[in-house]
C-alpha cells in the first residue's frame, strides 16, 4: 500500500482544531494524516473517525470550492465519485468533508482495472456529452490553456495564423463533456467493487 496514515503531531492537531470545530466532527475519536511512502509526501488530507463513521477532510490547495456545482454534476447520478458532505473556509483556505473511499490508487493498476476505470469515466462523460458549439466555458478553456501556445508556435512557423484560426474554429465545433482536468493515477482508487475517481475540484465542461 503506497498511501498510509500517521498520527498527527501536537502542532498539526492545533492547526486543524479550528477547522474541525466549524464542521460536524467535533467528537472525533481519531484523526490521522495521509502520507505517501513512494512519493515521500505528506498530504493535507485527514481521516476523521467518529462514533458513527469515518470521513475524509481535505484542504484544497489555492482553490475555491463550489459545493453546489459539485452536487449539480454528481449528486444522485450513481457515478463512482465520493459524496461531499460540507465545506468551510478558514483563513482564506477551503476545506471539504467527504465520503471515505477505500482502495489503492491506480499507479499499479492492471489492464483489467484500467478497463473498469475507463467504463466509470465513460459513464460520466457520456452523461454530459454535447453536440459542441461555442460556449463561455469553451472560450475560457481556449484562452487559459491553449492561446498561450500561439506565441511559441509563431516563432517556429511563420504561416501559423491560418492554421491556428482553423484549429480554434474546430475546437469550438467538437463535442464537449465533463473533464476532470487532473486525471492522474493517484486520483483513482481501485475499490473492491469498482474504481472511484476522486478530486474533481477543478472539473468543468470543456
Amino acid at each position: 500500500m503506497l498511501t498510509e496514515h500517521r498520527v498527527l503531531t501536537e502542532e498539526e492537531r492545533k492547526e486543524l482544531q479550528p477547522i474541525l470545530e466549524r464542521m460536524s466532527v467535533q467528537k472525533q475519536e481519531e484523526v490521522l494524516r495521509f502520507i505517501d511512502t513512494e512519493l515521500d509526501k505528506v498530504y493535507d488530507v485527514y481521516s476523521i473517525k467518529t462514533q458513527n463513521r469515518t470521513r475524509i477532510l481535505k484542504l484544497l490547495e489555492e482553490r475555491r470550492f463550489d459545493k453546489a456545482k459539485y452536487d449539480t454534476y454528481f449528486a444522485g447520478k450513481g457515478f463512482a465519485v465520493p459524496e461531499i458532505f460540507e465545506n468551510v473556509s478558514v483563513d482564506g483556505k477551503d476545506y471539504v468533508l467527504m465520503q471515505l473511499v477505500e482502495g489503492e490508487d491506480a499507479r499499479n493498476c492492471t489492464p483489467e482495472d484500467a478497463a473498469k476505470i475507463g467504463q466509470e469515466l465513460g459513464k460520466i462523460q457520456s452523461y454530459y456529452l454535447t453536440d459542441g458549439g461555442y460556449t463561455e466555458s469553451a472560450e475560457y478553456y481556449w484562452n487559459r490553456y491553449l492561446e498561450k501556445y500561439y506565441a511559441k508556435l509563431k516563432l517556429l512557423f511563420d504561416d501559423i495564423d491560418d492554421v491556428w484560426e482553423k484549429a480554434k474554429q474546430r475546437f469550438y465545433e467538437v463535442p464537449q463533456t465533463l473533464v476532470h482536468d487532473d486525471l492522474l493515477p493517484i486520483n483513482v482508487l481501485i475499490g473492491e467493487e469498482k474504481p472511484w475517481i476522486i478530486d474533481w475540484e477543478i472539473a468543468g465542461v470543456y
Side-chain angles (χ1 to χ4, degrees):
M1 188 76 171
L2 302 176
T3 303
E4 301 176 354
H5 308 81
R6 69 158 170 77
V7 177
L8 299 185
T9 65
E10 189 62 30
E11 182 177 347
E12 288 173 337
R13 179 171 287 278
K14 288 180 180 179
E15 291 179 357
L16 202 60
Q17 195 58 37
I19 292 93
L20 296 175
E21 291 175 354
R22 293 277 301 276
M23 291 185 161
S24 56
V25 289
Q26 290 91 340
K27 296 181 180 179
Q28 67 274 174
E29 296 178 350
E30 183 179 56
V31 181
L32 302 174
R33 190 167 189 172
F34 280 78
I35 61 173
D36 193 301
T37 54
E38 183 173 275
L39 299 178
D40 192 27
K41 185 173 182 179
V42 179
Y43 293 105
D44 291 317
V45 182
Y46 307 87
S47 169
I48 313 280
K49 181 180 179 181
T50 64
Q51 292 180 339
N52 299 323
R53 56 183 167 178
T54 300
R55 290 173 286 185
I56 297 298
L57 177 68
K58 178 183 177 183
L59 166 66
L60 304 184
E61 299 176 2
E62 301 179 1
R63 301 170 189 159
R64 304 299 297 175
F65 180 72
D66 187 340
K67 186 177 184 302
K69 180 180 177 182
Y70 187 92
D71 289 345
T72 297
Y73 284 148
F74 299 121
K77 297 181 175 66
F79 298 145
V81 302
E83 179 182 358
I84 292 184
F85 304 113
E86 58 183 309
N87 68 291
V88 299
S89 182
V90 178
D91 296 331
K93 297 179 180 179
D94 278 14
Y95 296 82
V96 296
L97 188 68
M98 66 178 67
Q99 171 189 359
L100 169 67
V101 176
E102 300 280 5
E104 187 170 340
D105 69 50
R107 276 174 283 181
N108 296 322
C109 74
T110 65
E112 292 77 14
D113 290 332
K116 292 178 181 178
I117 294 167
Q119 290 174 354
E120 294 299 334
L121 190 60
K123 292 177 185 177
I124 297 172
Q125 295 188 316
S126 297
Y127 186 92
Y128 287 102
L129 192 65
T130 72
D131 292 332
Y134 172 82
T135 64
E136 289 185 3
S137 65
E139 182 179 38
Y140 170 82
Y141 194 90
W142 177 273
N143 290 336
R144 179 173 180 180
Y145 296 105
L146 300 178
E147 192 67 44
K148 63 183 179 181
Y149 295 114
Y150 171 78
K152 297 179 182 179
L153 291 171
K154 186 69 173 176
L155 295 174
L156 300 173
F157 307 101
D158 292 333
D159 56 349
I160 190 66
D161 290 347
D162 184 51
V163 175
W164 191 253
E165 284 305 312
K166 289 180 180 178
K168 186 173 184 179
Q169 180 181 354
R170 180 61 181 146
F171 177 81
Y172 287 128
E173 292 173 351
V174 298
Q176 300 171 38
T177 186
L178 183 63
V179 177
H180 185 284
D181 224 19
D182 192 25
L183 192 60
L184 302 172
I186 59 174
N187 286 335
V188 179
L189 299 179
I190 309 297
E192 290 185 6
E193 298 182 2
K194 60 183 177 181
W196 292 78
I197 304 170
I198 64 173
D199 288 4
W200 288 86
E201 291 84 12
I202 57 175
V205 176
Y206 302 124

